[in-house]
Amino acid sequence: MKIGADIEAFMGRLGHRFARPEVLVRALTHSSIGSATRPDNQRLEFLGDRVLGLTMAEALFRADKSASEGQLAPRFNALVRKETCADVARQIDLGAVLKLGRSEMMSGGRRKEALLGDAMEAVIAAVYIDAGFEAARDLVLRLWGDRIDAVEEDARDAKTALQEWAQARGLPPPKYVTVSREGPDHAPVFTIEAQLANGEVERAAAKAKRQAEQAAAKALLARLEAPQG
C-alpha cells in the first residue's frame, strides 16, 4: 500500500515501521469518514484499550510488589484513562494524521480529547496486529515513559478525596458549578467552581469539564489540608 509523507513521518514519531500500513490507516480513520469500503477505527479502539490495560496492569504489578489491589487500581486508572491517552497522542502529534469527516474537521476534531484518546488506543491495536503483543507493549511503555513512574501522584482522584473530606466532617457532597465557558466551540475553556456547604470554594479552568472539576477539587483540597501556621 502506498502511503503519504505525513503517514511516513508519523511512523517515525511513533517509533514503529508498519509491515501492513493499511492497519495504521484504519486506526487513524474516524467514524465521521468511515464507510463500507473505508472501515473506521472503532473496533481497533476496543482492542487497543485491552492491550493498553494488560500492559499497564503488568507494569504496575511488577513495579511495586508490595502494593495492594486497592493501591494498584487508582494507579492503573490514571494511566489508561482517556485524558492520558490523549496526552500521549498529542506528544506524537497524532491529530495531524487523523482522517476526519468535514463536519468533525471543521469543529476542531484534531484537538478533541475523546477523538485523540480513542485514536491512540486504535494505534496501539494496529501495532499489536502488525507485530504482536511484545511490540505493542514496548511501544506503550516507551510512549507512556515517565508517567508510569510518576503515577502515584496522578492516581489520587481529587473529587473523591474532597467528597471523603466533606463526609468525614458531616458535610454534604461538594457541588461543581460551571462559572463560564469561553472560546470557540472546537476549543472551549471551562471554569468550574468547587463548593462546600461550609462556604469554602476554589475555581479552576481547563479544556474539559471533568478536568476543570478535578483541578478545582484538587486546589480546594490542597488549601483545606495545608498546615495551619
Side-chain angles (χ1 to χ4, degrees):
M1 177 184 183
K2 187 176 181 180
I3 57 174
D6 58 339
I7 300 296
E8 285 279 4
F10 177 71
M11 285 195 288
R13 298 194 298 274
L14 185 65
H16 179 79
R17 178 75 190 181
F18 280 79
R20 298 168 58 194
E22 66 273 12
V23 183
L24 174 60
V25 172
R26 178 174 179 178
L28 299 172
T29 302
H30 185 253
S31 58
S32 62
I33 201 173
S35 66
T37 57
R38 178 188 280 181
D40 61 44
N41 63 8
Q42 289 181 317
R43 282 172 53 83
L44 288 176
E45 174 200 338
F46 170 83
L47 178 60
D49 178 62
R50 275 67 187 173
V51 175
L52 172 62
L54 178 55
T55 298
M56 288 305 168
E58 181 186 44
L60 292 170
F61 183 81
R62 294 182 182 278
D64 189 347
K65 294 179 172 58
S66 63
S68 67
E69 187 276 340
Q71 292 172 309
L72 292 173
R75 298 176 194 174
F76 174 85
N77 291 335
L79 289 168
V80 303
R81 63 191 176 197
K82 200 69 72 179
E83 292 90 342
T84 305
C85 291
D87 189 46
V88 174
R90 283 188 285 268
Q91 171 185 314
I92 55 175
D93 198 13
L94 189 155
V97 290
L98 274 179
K99 298 184 180 301
L100 305 171
R102 178 174 173 79
S103 61
E104 198 62 68
M105 193 179 303
M106 294 295 289
S107 65
R110 296 189 189 282
R111 294 183 296 275
K112 288 183 180 177
E113 192 128 294
L115 267 67
L116 289 172
D118 291 347
M120 189 66 242
E121 290 174 344
V123 168
I124 292 169
V127 173
Y128 170 77
I129 291 171
D130 187 67
F133 178 72
E134 286 192 14
R137 179 185 61 197
D138 291 347
L139 176 91
V140 167
L141 295 177
R142 174 168 49 78
L143 292 180
W144 263 248
D146 293 341
R147 293 174 181 83
I148 300 172
D149 296 329
V151 71
E152 183 62 38
E153 181 179 344
D154 295 338
R156 191 182 189 198
D157 184 308
K159 288 179 67 176
T160 300
L162 182 60
Q163 182 167 324
E164 291 172 351
W165 188 96
Q167 289 176 337
R169 291 157 180 80
L171 297 171
K175 292 182 179 179
Y176 296 91
V177 177
T178 302
V179 177
S180 66
R181 181 189 185 281
E182 300 176 339
D185 288 342
H186 66 269
V189 175
F190 296 91
T191 299
I192 301 290
E193 187 171 84
Q195 304 175 346
L196 288 175
N198 64 358
E200 297 283 0
V201 299
E202 281 288 349
R203 290 184 180 183
K207 294 179 180 179
K209 273 190 177 182
R210 183 180 181 279
Q211 287 180 307
E213 289 173 355
Q214 288 285 351
K218 185 175 182 179
L220 180 51
L221 196 63
R223 181 160 59 76
L224 294 170
E225 293 182 338
Q228 300 299 314

